[in-house]
Amino acid sequence: MQITINGESKSVPDAVTVAELVRILDLKKERVAVEVNRNIVARREWDGVLLHPGDRLEIVHFVGGG
Amino acid sequence: MLENDVLEIAGRKIRSRLFVGTGKYAGIQQMKDAFEAAGAQVVTVAVRRVNISDRSRESMLDAIDSSKYILLPNTAGCYTAEDAIRYARLAREAGLSHWVKLEVIGDERTLYPDNEALLEATRVLVKEGFVVLPYTSDDPVVARKLEDLGAAAVMPLGAPIGSGLGIQNPNNIRIIKEMARVPVIVDAGVGTASDAAVAMELGCDAVLMNTGIAGAQDPVRMAEAMGLAVKAGRLAYLAGRIPRKSYAAASSPTEGMLAK
Protein backbone atom coordinates (compact mmCIF):
# COMPACT_ATOMS: atom_id res chain seq x y z
CA MET A 1 0.00 0.00 0.00
CA GLN A 2 1.05 3.61 -0.50
CA ILE A 3 1.50 5.99 2.40
CA THR A 4 3.18 9.39 2.62
CA ILE A 5 6.17 9.74 4.91
CA ASN A 6 7.66 13.19 5.38
CA GLY A 7 6.09 14.34 2.16
CA GLU A 8 7.36 11.39 0.09
CA SER A 9 5.10 8.67 -1.25
CA LYS A 10 6.28 5.24 -0.07
CA SER A 11 5.24 1.70 -0.74
CA VAL A 12 4.98 -0.32 2.49
CA PRO A 13 3.51 -3.74 3.39
CA ASP A 14 -0.26 -3.80 3.97
CA ALA A 15 -1.45 -3.41 7.54
CA VAL A 16 2.00 -2.54 8.84
CA THR A 17 2.18 -1.12 12.37
CA VAL A 18 4.08 2.02 13.31
CA ALA A 19 6.57 -0.12 15.21
CA GLU A 20 7.16 -2.32 12.15
CA LEU A 21 7.53 0.70 9.89
CA VAL A 22 10.15 2.25 12.15
CA ARG A 23 12.02 -1.07 12.01
CA ILE A 24 11.67 -1.31 8.19
CA LEU A 25 13.03 2.23 7.82
CA ASP A 26 15.90 1.29 10.13
CA LEU A 27 15.31 4.26 12.41
CA LYS A 28 16.56 4.53 15.97
CA LYS A 29 13.30 4.23 17.82
CA GLU A 30 14.51 6.06 20.95
CA ARG A 31 15.35 9.10 18.83
CA VAL A 32 12.27 9.69 16.70
CA ALA A 33 8.70 10.86 17.15
CA VAL A 34 5.88 9.84 14.84
CA GLU A 35 2.73 11.65 13.80
CA VAL A 36 0.02 9.84 11.84
CA ASN A 37 -2.48 12.15 10.15
CA ARG A 38 -1.43 14.98 12.51
CA ASN A 39 -1.83 12.90 15.69
CA ILE A 40 1.26 11.97 17.67
CA VAL A 41 1.53 8.24 18.30
CA ALA A 42 3.31 7.67 21.61
CA ARG A 43 6.15 5.17 21.45
CA ARG A 44 4.38 2.75 23.80
CA GLU A 45 1.46 2.61 21.34
CA TRP A 46 3.50 1.93 18.22
CA ASP A 47 2.85 -1.84 18.33
CA GLY A 48 -0.89 -1.41 18.34
CA VAL A 49 -1.35 1.24 15.66
CA LEU A 50 -2.00 -0.14 12.16
CA LEU A 51 -1.36 2.07 9.16
CA HIS A 52 -3.83 2.45 6.32
CA PRO A 53 -3.45 3.33 2.62
CA GLY A 54 -3.12 7.07 2.16
CA ASP A 55 -1.98 7.74 5.74
CA ARG A 56 0.25 10.75 6.08
CA LEU A 57 3.15 10.34 8.49
CA GLU A 58 5.66 12.76 9.86
CA ILE A 59 8.74 11.22 11.44
CA VAL A 60 11.02 13.71 13.17
CA HIS A 61 14.22 13.72 15.16
CA PHE A 62 16.62 16.25 16.62
CA VAL A 63 19.07 18.10 14.44
CA GLY A 64 21.53 20.89 15.15
CA GLY A 65 19.88 24.19 16.02
CA GLY A 66 20.08 27.21 18.27
CA MET B 1 34.23 31.54 43.83
CA LEU B 2 31.36 30.27 41.72
CA GLU B 3 31.14 26.68 43.00
CA ASN B 4 27.98 27.32 45.01
CA ASP B 5 26.46 29.72 42.53
CA VAL B 6 24.06 27.29 40.88
CA LEU B 7 21.30 28.26 38.49
CA GLU B 8 17.98 26.58 39.14
CA ILE B 9 15.21 26.33 36.56
CA ALA B 10 11.98 24.50 37.39
CA GLY B 11 13.72 22.75 40.27
CA ARG B 12 16.64 21.55 38.16
CA LYS B 13 20.11 22.65 39.17
CA ILE B 14 22.31 23.80 36.31
CA ARG B 15 25.99 24.47 36.91
CA SER B 16 26.86 26.26 33.67
CA ARG B 17 25.32 29.62 32.86
CA LEU B 18 26.33 29.37 29.22
CA PHE B 19 23.73 27.59 27.09
CA VAL B 20 24.81 26.71 23.56
CA GLY B 21 23.17 25.77 20.31
CA THR B 22 24.14 22.83 18.11
CA GLY B 23 23.66 24.42 14.68
CA LYS B 24 26.16 25.57 12.05
CA TYR B 25 29.24 23.63 13.20
CA ALA B 26 31.66 22.29 10.59
CA GLY B 27 31.38 18.83 12.10
CA ILE B 28 30.44 16.78 15.11
CA GLN B 29 33.93 16.75 16.61
CA GLN B 30 34.22 20.53 16.39
CA MET B 31 30.83 20.88 18.08
CA LYS B 32 31.79 18.52 20.91
CA ASP B 33 35.11 20.28 21.39
CA ALA B 34 33.26 23.60 21.55
CA PHE B 35 30.86 22.28 24.22
CA GLU B 36 33.84 21.15 26.28
CA ALA B 37 35.68 24.43 25.84
CA ALA B 38 32.55 26.41 26.77
CA GLY B 39 31.88 24.24 29.80
CA ALA B 40 28.27 24.13 28.65
CA GLN B 41 25.65 21.84 30.11
CA VAL B 42 22.42 22.89 28.39
CA VAL B 43 22.46 22.46 24.61
CA THR B 44 19.63 23.36 22.27
CA VAL B 45 18.47 21.23 19.36
CA ALA B 46 15.89 21.63 16.61
CA VAL B 47 13.13 19.24 15.54
CA ARG B 48 13.09 18.32 11.86
CA ARG B 49 11.98 15.56 9.55
CA VAL B 50 14.15 12.47 9.34
CA ASN B 51 15.53 12.19 5.83
CA ILE B 52 14.21 8.75 4.96
CA SER B 53 15.96 8.55 1.55
CA ASP B 54 19.39 9.69 2.66
CA ARG B 55 20.27 8.40 6.10
CA SER B 56 23.92 9.51 6.03
CA ARG B 57 23.30 12.73 7.95
CA GLU B 58 21.08 11.08 10.48
CA SER B 59 23.26 10.60 13.53
CA MET B 60 24.50 14.15 14.25
CA LEU B 61 23.06 14.20 17.74
CA ASP B 62 23.70 10.59 18.60
CA ALA B 63 27.12 12.00 19.34
CA ILE B 64 25.81 14.03 22.27
CA ASP B 65 26.06 12.22 25.58
CA SER B 66 22.65 12.81 27.14
CA SER B 67 23.94 11.87 30.61
CA LYS B 68 26.36 14.79 30.38
CA TYR B 69 24.26 17.40 28.59
CA ILE B 70 20.69 18.60 29.00
CA LEU B 71 19.05 18.66 25.59
CA LEU B 72 16.75 21.64 25.17
CA PRO B 73 14.57 21.25 22.06
CA ASN B 74 13.49 24.43 20.33
CA THR B 75 10.56 25.33 18.11
CA ALA B 76 12.68 27.34 15.70
CA GLY B 77 11.09 27.98 12.34
CA CYS B 78 7.55 28.05 13.72
CA TYR B 79 5.44 31.06 12.75
CA THR B 80 2.19 30.25 14.56
CA ALA B 81 1.30 29.17 18.09
CA GLU B 82 -0.27 26.03 16.64
CA ASP B 83 2.96 25.03 14.87
CA ALA B 84 5.11 25.76 17.90
CA ILE B 85 2.83 23.65 20.09
CA ARG B 86 2.99 20.83 17.55
CA TYR B 87 6.80 20.91 17.45
CA ALA B 88 7.02 21.05 21.25
CA ARG B 89 4.82 17.97 21.58
CA LEU B 90 6.89 16.10 18.98
CA ALA B 91 10.08 17.11 20.76
CA ARG B 92 8.75 15.76 24.03
CA GLU B 93 7.91 12.50 22.31
CA ALA B 94 11.28 12.25 20.57
CA GLY B 95 13.39 13.17 23.54
CA LEU B 96 11.26 12.32 26.55
CA SER B 97 12.02 15.78 27.86
CA HIS B 98 9.28 18.21 28.72
CA TRP B 99 11.54 21.23 28.48
CA VAL B 100 11.15 23.46 25.46
CA LYS B 101 12.82 26.60 24.20
CA LEU B 102 9.69 28.16 22.79
CA GLU B 103 10.09 30.27 19.66
CA VAL B 104 7.24 31.70 17.64
CA ILE B 105 8.71 33.87 14.94
CA GLY B 106 6.80 36.83 13.57
CA ASP B 107 9.06 38.13 10.83
CA GLU B 108 11.52 36.40 8.50
CA ARG B 109 13.97 39.23 8.15
CA THR B 110 14.47 40.06 11.82
CA LEU B 111 13.38 36.70 13.27
CA TYR B 112 11.66 38.78 15.91
CA PRO B 113 9.19 36.86 18.07
CA ASP B 114 5.44 37.18 17.55
CA ASN B 115 4.73 37.90 21.19
CA GLU B 116 0.98 37.49 20.90
CA ALA B 117 1.37 33.97 19.51
CA LEU B 118 4.18 33.31 21.98
CA LEU B 119 1.91 34.11 24.92
CA GLU B 120 -0.77 31.83 23.52
CA ALA B 121 1.65 28.92 22.96
CA THR B 122 3.13 29.43 26.44
CA ARG B 123 -0.32 29.27 28.01
CA VAL B 124 -1.16 25.98 26.25
CA LEU B 125 2.18 24.27 26.83
CA VAL B 126 2.39 25.23 30.52
CA LYS B 127 -1.05 23.65 30.99
CA GLU B 128 0.26 20.50 29.31
CA GLY B 129 3.08 20.28 31.85
CA PHE B 130 5.93 21.63 29.75
CA VAL B 131 8.79 23.58 31.26
CA VAL B 132 8.57 26.54 28.90
CA LEU B 133 11.55 28.81 28.22
CA PRO B 134 10.23 31.41 25.78
CA TYR B 135 12.42 33.41 23.42
CA THR B 136 11.01 36.92 23.56
CA SER B 137 11.79 40.50 22.63
CA ASP B 138 13.41 42.75 25.24
CA ASP B 139 10.03 44.00 26.43
CA PRO B 140 9.52 44.01 30.22
CA VAL B 141 5.72 43.84 29.90
CA VAL B 142 5.81 40.76 27.68
CA ALA B 143 8.38 39.18 30.00
CA ARG B 144 6.04 39.73 32.95
CA LYS B 145 3.08 38.29 31.05
CA LEU B 146 5.10 35.20 30.14
CA GLU B 147 6.07 34.76 33.75
CA ASP B 148 2.45 35.18 34.87
CA LEU B 149 1.47 32.41 32.44
CA GLY B 150 3.95 30.06 34.10
CA ALA B 151 7.08 30.31 31.96
CA ALA B 152 10.00 28.72 33.84
CA ALA B 153 12.36 31.44 32.62
CA VAL B 154 12.23 34.31 30.17
CA MET B 155 14.71 34.62 27.33
CA PRO B 156 14.86 38.14 25.90
CA LEU B 157 16.95 38.69 22.80
CA GLY B 158 20.04 40.86 23.06
CA ALA B 159 19.85 41.57 19.32
CA PRO B 160 18.38 39.70 16.32
CA ILE B 161 19.27 36.01 16.06
CA GLY B 162 22.63 35.49 14.40
CA SER B 163 23.33 39.23 14.14
CA GLY B 164 26.24 39.40 16.56
CA LEU B 165 25.31 42.97 17.47
CA GLY B 166 25.53 42.48 21.23
CA ILE B 167 23.08 43.77 23.82
CA GLN B 168 21.22 46.54 22.00
CA ASN B 169 19.06 47.67 24.90
CA PRO B 170 20.89 46.98 28.16
CA ASN B 171 18.44 49.09 30.13
CA ASN B 172 15.49 46.91 29.10
CA ILE B 173 17.41 43.74 29.92
CA ARG B 174 18.21 45.17 33.36
CA ILE B 175 14.58 46.13 33.95
CA ILE B 176 13.39 42.67 32.85
CA LYS B 177 15.82 41.11 35.32
CA GLU B 178 14.80 43.43 38.15
CA MET B 179 11.12 42.66 37.62
CA ALA B 180 11.41 38.91 37.06
CA ARG B 181 10.94 36.22 39.67
CA VAL B 182 12.09 33.53 37.23
CA PRO B 183 15.55 33.28 35.68
CA VAL B 184 16.35 35.64 32.81
CA ILE B 185 18.46 34.22 30.00
CA VAL B 186 19.72 36.48 27.22
CA ASP B 187 19.08 34.54 24.05
CA ALA B 188 20.46 35.68 20.72
CA GLY B 189 22.60 38.52 19.43
CA VAL B 190 25.86 37.81 21.23
CA GLY B 191 28.79 38.40 18.88
CA THR B 192 31.84 38.23 21.06
CA ALA B 193 32.96 37.60 24.63
CA SER B 194 32.35 41.14 25.91
CA ASP B 195 28.68 40.89 24.82
CA ALA B 196 28.24 37.81 26.99
CA ALA B 197 29.97 39.53 29.89
CA VAL B 198 27.66 42.55 29.55
CA ALA B 199 24.58 40.30 29.73
CA MET B 200 25.86 38.70 32.91
CA GLU B 201 26.95 42.01 34.44
CA LEU B 202 23.39 43.26 33.98
CA GLY B 203 22.39 40.49 36.36
CA CYS B 204 21.05 37.94 33.90
CA ASP B 205 21.08 34.34 35.03
CA ALA B 206 22.48 32.84 31.86
CA VAL B 207 23.26 33.47 28.20
CA LEU B 208 22.27 31.33 25.25
CA MET B 209 24.15 31.50 21.98
CA ASN B 210 24.84 29.54 18.84
CA THR B 211 26.15 31.60 15.91
CA GLY B 212 28.46 33.65 18.15
CA ILE B 213 30.44 30.45 18.75
CA ALA B 214 29.77 28.28 15.70
CA GLY B 215 30.24 31.16 13.27
CA ALA B 216 33.58 32.33 14.71
CA GLN B 217 36.70 31.63 12.69
CA ASP B 218 37.86 29.33 15.47
CA PRO B 219 34.68 28.11 17.19
CA VAL B 220 36.42 26.09 19.90
CA ARG B 221 38.57 29.02 20.97
CA MET B 222 35.52 31.33 20.92
CA ALA B 223 33.59 28.79 23.01
CA GLU B 224 36.29 28.98 25.66
CA ALA B 225 36.24 32.79 25.50
CA MET B 226 32.45 32.79 25.95
CA GLY B 227 32.67 30.44 28.91
CA LEU B 228 35.23 32.70 30.59
CA ALA B 229 33.21 35.83 29.77
CA VAL B 230 30.04 34.40 31.29
CA LYS B 231 31.96 33.52 34.45
CA ALA B 232 33.71 36.90 34.55
CA GLY B 233 30.45 38.75 34.01
CA ARG B 234 28.71 36.72 36.69
CA LEU B 235 31.51 37.31 39.21
CA ALA B 236 31.52 41.03 38.44
CA TYR B 237 27.77 41.19 38.96
CA LEU B 238 28.00 39.34 42.28
CA ALA B 239 30.94 41.50 43.34
CA GLY B 240 28.97 44.71 42.75
CA ARG B 241 30.54 47.26 40.46
CA ILE B 242 31.50 50.80 41.53
CA PRO B 243 29.07 53.61 40.72
CA ARG B 244 29.74 55.52 37.52
CA LYS B 245 31.06 59.06 38.08
CA SER B 246 31.67 61.84 35.63
CA TYR B 247 34.97 62.96 37.14
CA ALA B 248 38.12 61.35 38.45
CA ALA B 249 38.65 60.06 41.98
CA ALA B 250 42.35 59.58 42.75
CA SER B 251 43.43 56.09 43.74
CA SER B 252 46.64 57.23 45.48
CA PRO B 253 46.68 59.33 48.71
CA THR B 254 46.59 63.11 48.26
CA GLU B 255 48.47 63.57 51.56
CA GLY B 256 52.20 62.97 51.96
CA MET B 257 53.17 64.72 48.77
CA LEU B 258 56.65 66.35 48.72
CA ALA B 259 57.13 70.10 49.41
CA LYS B 260 57.01 72.26 46.32
Side-chain angles (χ1 to χ4, degrees), chain A residues 6 25 35 58 63 65-66, chain B residues 22 46 49-50 55 74 86 93:
Chain A
N6 292 351
L25 294 173
E35 249 186 16
E58 293 288 348
V63 301
Chain B
T22 55
R49 283 174 163 173
V50 173
R55 303 286 312 289
N74 69 28
R86 184 185 185 196
E93 189 54 34

Side-chain angles (χ1 to χ4, degrees), chain B residues 12 107 129 142 171 196 198 213 217:
Chain B
R12 184 158 193 176
D107 174 60
V142 174
N171 194 48
V198 166
I213 293 174
Q217 289 190 24

Side-chain angles (χ1 to χ4, degrees), chain B residues 114-131:
Chain B
D114 178 336
N115 284 326
E116 195 181 352
L118 182 70
L119 289 163
E120 170 62 12
T122 300
R123 190 182 60 76
V124 172
L125 291 170
V126 166
K127 272 194 189 144
E128 291 184 15
F130 281 86
V131 172

Side-chain angles (χ1 to χ4, degrees), chain B residues 17-18 193 196-197 200 207 209 225-235:
Chain B
R17 293 176 182 270
L18 175 53
M200 297 307 293
V207 181
M209 66 184 78
M226 292 296 188
L228 291 168
V230 166
K231 281 186 186 156
R234 179 67 183 169
L235 276 169

Side-chain angles (χ1 to χ4, degrees), chain B residues 128-246:
Chain B
E128 291 184 15
F130 281 86
V131 172
V132 179
L133 289 74
Y135 157 73
T136 178
S137 52
D138 54 8
D139 180 334
V141 176
V142 174
R144 193 185 55 208
K145 286 183 179 178
L146 289 165
E147 185 179 329
D148 289 345
L149 286 170
V154 290
M155 305 210 294
L157 54 81
I161 294 172
S163 70
L165 289 171
I167 314 295
Q168 294 292 288
N169 198 337
N171 194 48
N172 273 26
I173 299 290
R174 185 190 291 111
I175 290 169
I176 288 171
K177 176 57 197 170
E178 280 176 10
M179 287 170 58
R181 289 151 295 166
V182 295
V184 175
I185 301 164
V186 165
D187 177 7
V190 170
T192 188
S194 53
D195 299 334
V198 166
M200 297 307 293
E201 287 170 14
L202 289 169
C204 292
D205 298 277
V207 181
L208 195 162
M209 66 184 78
N210 188 346
T211 309
I213 293 174
Q217 289 190 24
D218 183 341
V220 178
R221 195 172 277 186
M222 186 58 90
E224 184 175 357
M226 292 296 188
L228 291 168
V230 166
K231 281 186 186 156
R234 179 67 183 169
L235 276 169
Y237 170 72
L238 294 174
R241 59 153 299 149
I242 61 164
R244 287 179 170 86
K245 290 191 288 278
S246 294

